[in-house]
Amino acid sequence: MSDAPVKNRPIYREFRNDLGKLTFNSKPIINSLSKKAEENVDDAESVLRAIEDHLRFTVPKYKLPAFYLLDSIAKNVDDMVKSKMERTMGTWRNGFDGGKRNLFPEFVLRKIEEDISRLKARAKETAKMVPESTSDDLLDNLTGMQLYAKKRALEEKHQSAQRE
């Protein structure tokens, strides 16, 4: 966690205040915070700093919902923000006592790193599967993407039903 000043203090304060409401795994609160993070992508450092500080200073029982929030944001952000989140992961290792102690137990850090790797692999796989545009017409491109998304959703629903 950085000791550098927060770039956008109002965004930081607002996000920290909203994080205080995240005391349990609440999908509406997590969705709201994810949307707010997406709306403030230009201030991603301030948002990320708010989450880092929340994780650093909140009581342990409130940390898990914050990780759910990070997961939600990670699934909906661009590569620049993802790289900043990965940097945050690095601060969780050797984050206390001048680099002598991890912020979280090793097994937790390992699980988070595995999840990050899995998300990266899934993103690369998805990028390969999206059909390349052959048209300069924006409407044609959007229609093609919508059809592709519907097809993928149906495939995933079918796979999920087969597992059950």
Side-chain angles (χ1 to χ4, degrees):
M1 268 128 289
S2 170
D3 290 330
V6 175
K7 288 187 178 182
N8 189 327
R9 203 69 152 138
I11 294 292
Y12 170 85
R13 271 193 237 116
E14 183 180 346
F15 215 84
R16 281 282 285 160
N17 184 51
D18 290 346
L19 282 164
K21 300 171 190 166
L22 192 57
T23 58
F24 62 102
N25 185 14
S26 168
K27 188 170 178 87
I29 295 172
I30 290 170
N31 286 346
S32 171
L33 287 167
S34 293
K35 184 172 174 52
K36 186 176 283 193
E38 187 176 340
E39 291 167 354
N40 290 289
V41 72
D42 292 338
D43 294 306
E45 288 183 38
S46 297
V47 170
L48 186 57
R49 177 74 175 275
I51 296 170
E52 287 175 340
D53 289 350
H54 176 76
L55 285 165
R56 185 175 190 187
F57 298 114
T58 196
V59 295
K61 69 180 182 178
Y62 298 147
K63 291 183 192 254
L64 185 58
F67 282 115
Y68 290 138
L69 171 63
L70 278 173
D71 180 60
S72 175
I73 292 170
K75 290 176 182 172
N76 297 300
V77 295
D78 62 18
D79 290 334
M80 179 189 77
V81 178
K82 284 181 184 175
S83 69
K84 289 180 182 181
M85 291 180 75
E86 288 172 352
R87 187 198 73 218
T88 298
M89 179 67 196
T91 66
W92 295 344
R93 289 196 170 281
N94 309 313
F96 282 128
D97 297 334
K100 296 177 187 167
R101 188 166 65 101
N102 291 346
L103 179 58
F104 301 103
E106 184 64 32
F107 75 93
V108 172
L109 293 171
R110 211 172 16 258
K111 175 72 172 121
I112 294 168
E113 288 171 339
E114 289 169 5
D115 289 345
I116 289 171
S117 294
R118 199 172 12 264
L119 284 171
K120 281 182 173 178
R122 189 179 309 153
K124 284 180 183 177
E125 179 182 311
T126 302
K128 289 178 188 174
M129 294 170 21
V130 174
E132 253 186 69
S133 172
T134 56
S135 171
D136 290 333
D137 185 357
L138 179 61
L139 186 57
D140 286 348
N141 291 339
L142 289 174
T143 303
M145 293 297 282
Q146 288 172 332
L147 290 172
Y148 174 76
K150 286 180 183 177
K151 179 182 172 188
R152 290 285 301 151
L154 285 172
E155 288 172 358
E156 288 176 10
K157 186 177 179 180
H158 180 71
Q159 288 174 352
S160 178
Q162 284 181 335
R163 282 186 238 134
E164 294 175 356

